[in-house]
Amino acid sequence: MLATVLLLALPFCAAESASSYAGSTVVDSYPPPDATNTTVDAYFPDASQVGYAGPTPTGAEPAAIVTAIPFSKVENIFPLSRPNSADGADSNFNVTRHWGNLSPFYSVESFGLPDASPVIPEGCGLNAVHLLMRHGARYPTSGSGLSQFASDIHAAAVKEGFNATGDLKFLATWTYKLGAEILTPFGRESLFSIGVAFRYRYGQLLNGFTDLPVFRTTSEDRMVDSALNFAAGFFDVRTYETDYHQEIIIEENNFNNTLAPYDVCPNANSEDIGYFGGTQASKWADIYLKDAQTRLQPMLQGFNLTISRLVYMQQMCAYETVALGYSKFCDLFTEEEWEGFEYYNDLDFWYSNGPGNPTAAAQGLGYVQELVSRLTHTPINVWNSSTNSTLDSSNITFPLNQPIYVDASHDTVISCIVTALNFTSLAATGPLPTDHIPPHRSYISSQIAPFASQLVAQVLSCPASEEPTHIRFLLNDGVVPLTGIHGCTEDSNGLCALASFISGMHERIGEINYAHDCFANYTMPNPDNIIDGRYPS
């Protein structure tokens, strides 16, 4: 630990020529390797051994989603430091909301229903809730461009001619402190807090269980940690392991898993189809980062600030903030350039995992089939997607009678699922151009799949209505119109009669050709005018 402390203590502004360690990777390890001592542990008995707990009566379960007006929104990123842009230190511009899928969760105001509230509409009661959530904030994925950027900085810094000045002088002593793949402390805290909030909003539904709930996640480390942190918040940190069953579904190539469907959809992993969004986003990056390149390159000699490296620097701002609490990369870019970065991510998602990609609906199909199965209490009997017939055929691993369902997945999967659900309001202004940001666009990735994203389906009883049971969806607290689903009409609260929704989903399921869109040999349409996540018929 001592070497790291000395590194961090060096003054960032003392020299413009690089230190020998600039760009190198710093790794800390806790707990200390020799800290485990069972002899010492005996001095610290747990609460059950100590006893003397005092009175422990419980109260009634909360149901704030039914009763709480006004609705409590998520609007801050405590304990992270809120970053500034290069030109807006005193403005209301929120940089963190322009990081696309790297943004921390925040409550969306509206998806076109300005008068709708997440609180249950008056005259309706809550029957059940289905939660699909993304894992919390994490380190970059393995082999990402960010670690390569750091390696390139280090390689340049040890050579003569490397000089960092002005706003970039911190690079002379900057080191790479990010891990890979796993949750950051903020990511763990976010999922715990979401679990607490979910208990406040929907806790009363626990009274409808006759057995322990089954919640699902995938086998990746960050997915398991996200699920467990949620459960610790939703139940209790001391009892959650016995309060429910955590199902962990293998996430690996050729394993069917609706929460990681890309592993059984080859076209979703091809460079020309599955990663087409990267191609489209790069076209936009060449435009929106041109001024940043002109402004920042003179401050750095011996290192070429290419457009792709500037994108990495913007990503570094987001990842360092959620991992370390602060990043000096953030205030290198103007508000306009952060808006450009947001749109860069929108393009990537639209054309890789959203309405503009021909595999998106196919990838989301399996979860939609599971949702319909749960809503109708009817087992799945057709296996033509990423559904896992072994797990989904069992009423133990795939129960159909729960008032609360909780599934944990990834950003790209949530984007595919809302495409498969045919939430057409999100695609209303598509296809997305690559040479400018369209005004009033409907597709914004930070509102669809940020860290800790939440898609919630509320199943409601509305006795005064002609149809007794309804459903509606909240995406990150914003009520989503369901008018793209056949049979669902316009409703100011986003309600659709459950029978109509189920009928519309059966129709949508029949439209999606999983075998073709995931396995057929085809090329991307040119131009790509897809807006429903399916290959054009």
Side-chain angles (χ1 to χ4, degrees), residues 80 139 174-175 177-178 184-185 319-327:
L80 310 180
Y139 291 117
W174 172 77
T175 54
K177 302 179 181 68
L178 302 179
T184 68
Y319 278 115
E320 283 193 338
T321 299
V322 299
L324 307 173
Y326 170 76
S327 175

Side-chain angles (χ1 to χ4, degrees), residues 95 134 156 241 286 288-289 291 294 325 333 380 398 432 484 525:
V95 173
R134 184 192 176 193
E241 292 179 316
D286 289 337
Y288 87 87
L289 284 172
D291 289 346
T294 301
F333 300 94
I380 298 171
F398 192 70
L432 300 184

